[in-house]
Amino acid sequence: MGAAGYLVPIALALLLPLTAARAVRDPAGAAAPDAPDVASAGPAPAPVAAPPAVPAREALSYLWHHRYLRGMVLFTSFVGSCFAFAQAVTILFFLDHLDVAPVAIGFVTAGIGAGALVGSLVSARLVERFGRGPVMLTAHLTAGVALVLTGAAPEVFTAVAAYALLACAVSVWNVPWGALRQQIIPGHLFGRVLGLIRTVTWGLFPVATIIGGLVARIDLRLPFFIAGVLALGAAVVGSRMLIVGTRRAGAETAVVAPAV
């Protein structure tokens, strides 16, 4: 039954090109059978010129000279690397240290995924209520605490709960961080700058994962403790940037006043 589940994404991937190749027609906007052929009656519309490509050097210069955005990229790269450092040993931690049966590891990851889903659902409301900066700071502090709690968990249920809290905090961070970039970065530079940001951040994650695996040879709990302490320290150091910097950069959203 489990192996058959792999057939679903394979079938969807094979059918995707066929679906994309079909013309999308709006029934409400379809022409009546007796309507005149407007396209053939008049001259063909002039082709729209594609916008000029933005040089990578221009995008890099923008990112480097934008003090707030540059600081946020460095901050997220470091904290994201801490998460990758700890996640390197996730499966071994549950299998070897907490004695989870291999057939039950799917329930562990499902619990973690549920935490991420909850975070993505509540993030927008939290931002509306408290503002982007405070929510992002709280999310990072929560993530650091959750990493430490995961490493200190005495049994599987508390470990899954702590890890789910970590996943929830990461999702709560991702929503305002993504919206913030769209608000700050000019539209014609957005694709290039976003590509540079992802190259920097995601390029560091594999390196952090390898280092976390090497540290785990000492103790499978150690990467969680180290990553948690580093993430908490980074959140404290970056608290002013997250709160004051976000507001000064014009990336803060209005806080909704509570109803009386």
Side-chain angles (χ1 to χ4, degrees):
M1 186 65 180
Y6 288 98
L7 297 178
V8 176
I10 293 175
L12 292 175
L14 292 176
L15 293 175
L16 180 61
L18 297 178
T19 305
R22 296 171 185 165
V24 179
R25 187 180 296 273
D26 184 5
D34 56 347
D37 190 353
V38 179
S40 60
V48 179
V54 177
R57 179 180 299 179
E58 181 180 348
L60 180 61
S61 176
Y62 171 83
L63 180 60
W64 181 256
H65 290 93
H66 197 298
R67 181 179 179 182
Y68 170 74
L69 195 58
R70 183 182 72 236
M72 288 292 290
V73 171
L74 294 176
F75 177 80
T76 54
S77 298
F78 178 80
V79 178
S81 297
C82 291
F83 298 156
F85 177 88
Q87 291 170 353
V89 297
T90 298
I91 300 301
L92 286 178
F93 174 72
F94 282 100
L95 291 177
D96 296 349
H97 196 86
L98 298 178
D99 298 324
V100 175
V103 294
I105 198 67
F107 294 99
V108 171
T109 55
I112 298 171
L117 177 61
V118 171
S120 63
L121 293 176
V122 303
S123 180
R125 292 185 178 181
L126 291 175
V127 170
E128 290 177 359
R129 178 64 178 83
F130 300 105
R132 275 196 192 130
V135 168
M136 291 191 296
L137 175 59
T138 303
H140 269 296
L141 291 172
T142 303
V145 171
L147 281 168
V148 176
L149 292 177
T150 301
E155 39 80 32
V156 62
F157 294 105
T158 52
V160 171
Y163 213 126
L165 179 62
L166 167 64
C168 179
V170 172
S171 291
V172 169
W173 160 269
N174 283 335
V175 173
W177 171 229
L180 182 153
R181 291 175 300 187
Q182 292 179 339
Q183 182 175 341
I184 289 181
I185 304 173
H188 70 286
L189 291 174
F190 183 78
R192 286 285 193 180
V193 174
L194 184 61
L196 290 173
I197 292 174
R198 289 181 172 175
T199 299
V200 173
T201 54
W202 294 1
L204 294 174
F205 294 169
V207 178
T209 302
I210 293 174
I211 298 174
L214 295 175
V215 172
R217 292 183 175 183
I218 303 172
D219 190 327
L220 287 174
R221 294 179 181 266
L222 194 55
F224 292 101
F225 291 134
I226 295 176
V229 171
L230 291 177
L232 285 172
V236 172
V237 173
S239 60
R240 178 175 174 80
M241 177 184 65
L242 292 173
I243 302 295
V244 180
T246 300
R247 184 173 63 250
R248 289 180 176 176
E252 186 57 275
T253 57
V255 179
V256 179
V260 180

